[in-house]
Amino acid sequence: DPLPGCCGWFWGRQKAKFAMVTNWSSFAGGLVQLAGCELVIHLPVQNPQSAIFDLMIPFASQAGKVGVICWTVSSDEEGLRKALPVGERVSKDLFP
Protein backbone atom coordinates (compact mmCIF):
# COMPACT_ATOMS: atom_id res chain seq x y z
CA ASP A 1 0.00 0.00 0.00
CA PRO A 2 1.25 3.49 -0.71
CA LEU A 3 1.78 5.84 2.22
CA PRO A 4 -1.21 8.07 2.95
CA GLY A 5 -0.93 11.64 1.73
CA CYS A 6 -1.47 14.37 4.31
CA CYS A 7 -4.49 15.79 2.51
CA GLY A 8 -6.24 12.42 2.18
CA TRP A 9 -6.19 11.48 5.87
CA PHE A 10 -6.84 15.05 7.02
CA TRP A 11 -10.10 15.20 5.08
CA GLY A 12 -11.11 11.68 6.09
CA ARG A 13 -10.68 10.02 2.69
CA GLN A 14 -7.82 7.80 3.88
CA LYS A 15 -7.01 6.27 7.26
CA ALA A 16 -3.77 6.78 9.13
CA LYS A 17 -2.87 5.88 12.71
CA PHE A 18 -0.20 7.96 14.35
CA ALA A 19 0.56 9.93 17.49
CA MET A 20 2.91 12.74 18.45
CA VAL A 21 5.02 13.55 21.50
CA THR A 22 6.64 16.95 21.94
CA ASN A 23 8.82 17.71 24.98
CA TRP A 24 8.14 21.04 26.67
CA SER A 25 9.76 20.10 29.98
CA SER A 26 13.19 21.61 29.35
CA PHE A 27 12.40 25.18 28.28
CA ALA A 28 9.91 26.26 30.97
CA GLY A 29 12.69 27.41 33.33
CA GLY A 30 13.27 30.33 30.98
CA LEU A 31 9.67 31.59 31.09
CA VAL A 32 9.25 35.29 31.75
CA GLN A 33 9.41 35.94 35.48
CA LEU A 34 7.36 38.85 36.76
CA ALA A 35 8.50 40.79 39.82
CA GLY A 36 6.51 39.85 42.91
CA CYS A 37 4.87 36.86 41.19
CA GLU A 38 5.27 33.12 41.73
CA LEU A 39 4.64 30.48 39.07
CA VAL A 40 1.82 28.31 40.43
CA ILE A 41 1.28 26.08 37.39
CA HIS A 42 2.31 25.97 33.75
CA LEU A 43 0.12 24.01 31.33
CA PRO A 44 0.10 23.37 27.61
CA VAL A 45 -3.40 24.04 26.24
CA GLN A 46 -5.32 22.83 23.23
CA ASN A 47 -8.96 22.78 22.26
CA PRO A 48 -9.93 19.09 22.72
CA GLN A 49 -12.27 19.40 19.73
CA SER A 50 -9.15 19.97 17.59
CA ALA A 51 -7.55 16.65 18.60
CA ILE A 52 -7.43 14.49 15.47
CA PHE A 53 -4.62 12.22 16.71
CA ASP A 54 -3.10 11.21 20.05
CA LEU A 55 -0.80 13.89 21.48
CA MET A 56 1.39 13.74 24.59
CA ILE A 57 3.32 16.69 26.02
CA PRO A 58 5.75 16.28 28.94
CA PHE A 59 6.04 19.74 30.53
CA ALA A 60 7.40 21.52 33.61
CA SER A 61 4.20 21.93 35.62
CA GLN A 62 5.87 23.73 38.54
CA ALA A 63 9.41 24.52 39.60
CA GLY A 64 11.21 21.18 39.80
CA LYS A 65 8.17 19.11 38.76
CA VAL A 66 7.44 17.47 35.42
CA GLY A 67 3.93 16.60 34.32
CA VAL A 68 2.45 15.10 31.19
CA ILE A 69 -0.75 16.01 29.42
CA CYS A 70 -2.41 13.77 26.85
CA TRP A 71 -5.10 14.39 24.29
CA THR A 72 -6.29 11.12 22.84
CA VAL A 73 -8.72 9.90 20.24
CA SER A 74 -7.84 6.22 20.69
CA SER A 75 -8.40 5.74 24.45
CA ASP A 76 -9.91 7.22 27.59
CA GLU A 77 -8.44 8.20 30.97
CA GLU A 78 -8.74 4.66 32.36
CA GLY A 79 -6.88 3.22 29.35
CA LEU A 80 -4.13 5.84 29.64
CA ARG A 81 -3.65 5.19 33.36
CA LYS A 82 -3.29 1.46 32.67
CA ALA A 83 -0.76 2.04 29.87
CA LEU A 84 1.33 4.88 31.32
CA PRO A 85 3.30 5.27 34.55
CA VAL A 86 1.42 8.39 35.70
CA GLY A 87 0.98 9.62 39.24
CA GLU A 88 -1.32 12.21 40.75
CA ARG A 89 -2.92 15.11 38.90
CA VAL A 90 -0.86 18.30 38.61
CA SER A 91 -3.88 20.29 39.85
CA LYS A 92 -6.91 18.86 41.62
CA ASP A 93 -8.66 22.22 41.12
CA LEU A 94 -8.23 22.18 37.32
CA PHE A 95 -8.61 18.41 36.90
CA PRO A 96 -11.13 17.19 39.51
Side-chain angles (χ1 to χ4, degrees), residues 53-77:
F53 53 84
D54 293 349
L55 173 62
M56 176 188 286
I57 303 176
F59 64 99
S61 59
Q62 297 171 330
K65 290 188 175 184
V66 175
V68 63
I69 195 163
C70 300
W71 289 275
T72 181
V73 296
S74 66
S75 187
D76 58 12
E77 182 177 353

Side-chain angles (χ1 to χ4, degrees), residues 2-85:
L3 293 174
C6 65
C7 293
W9 66 259
F10 186 78
W11 297 111
R13 292 189 295 267
Q14 294 174 326
K15 291 188 177 186
K17 287 187 176 182
F18 63 94
M20 184 174 92
V21 176
T22 176
N23 185 355
W24 293 16
S25 65
S26 60
F27 74 83
L31 292 174
V32 175
Q33 297 182 8
L34 303 173
C37 295
E38 175 187 353
L39 176 65
V40 175
I41 192 166
H42 168 249
L43 286 173
V45 294
Q46 173 175 309
N47 180 345
Q49 299 293 325
S50 301
I52 59 173
F53 53 84
D54 293 349
L55 173 62
M56 176 188 286
I57 303 176
F59 64 99
S61 59
Q62 297 171 330
K65 290 188 175 184
V66 175
V68 63
I69 195 163
C70 300
W71 289 275
T72 181
V73 296
S74 66
S75 187
D76 58 12
E77 182 177 353
E78 183 180 345
L80 286 174
R81 289 190 171 277
K82 286 181 182 177
L84 301 174

